[in-house]
Amino acid sequence: AISGDGPNNQGGPVVPARDEAVAKGITINGLPLMLKKPGYLDVPDLDLYFRDCVIGGLGSFMVPIRKREQFAQAIKTKILLEVAAAPPQELVWKAQDMPRTNCMIGETQWRDRMGNE
């Protein structure tokens, strides 16, 4: 599982890395941490970024965390879904086929901030 509070901003692009892992039979689930108001290098809809760019593989899902109080329940939900293979609940969104999010947003923001073209 991948958890994070922002988009990828270092290393290679996220989509090819995800696709390579999925091609090897690895399922990537996500826990987007949306606890703070988006700032300079943040993505306003981090859950959409995770859905379109990060998670992948058979049965992949994500559990967004919007409040600190949700953290423990989100971890429990994630573990139950992964270990028990329980069907997703309304809190969980399955991966979509067509990305609607700019999956290079983190890399682009980092490049622009560092002045690299």
Side-chain angles (χ1 to χ4, degrees), residues 27-43:
T27 298
I28 303 167
N29 299 320
L31 289 168
L33 306 173
M34 301 166 48
L35 303 174
K36 61 182 182 172
K37 196 174 196 177
Y40 174 58
L41 292 177
D42 294 323
V43 176

Side-chain angles (χ1 to χ4, degrees), residues 32-107:
L33 306 173
M34 301 166 48
L35 303 174
K36 61 182 182 172
K37 196 174 196 177
Y40 174 58
L41 292 177
D42 294 323
V43 176
D45 297 311
L46 188 61
D47 53 342
L48 301 181
Y49 174 82
F50 265 65
R51 181 196 65 202
D52 293 345
C53 310
V54 177
I55 65 173
L58 186 61
S60 63
F61 64 87
M62 67 169 182
V63 182
I65 301 170
R66 292 184 173 84
K67 297 178 183 174
R68 290 189 188 282
E69 302 81 45
Q70 295 175 324
F71 194 81
Q73 184 59 48
I75 296 294
K76 288 178 187 177
T77 299
K78 176 196 152 315
I79 291 171
L80 286 173
L81 289 172
E82 290 175 338
V83 175
Q89 301 171 5
E90 66 182 68
L91 178 63
V92 178
W93 297 308
K94 288 188 174 185
Q96 303 298 314
D97 294 337
M98 297 298 296
R100 290 164 279 206
T101 304
N102 176 0
C103 294
M104 293 292 292
I105 192 165
E107 292 89 344

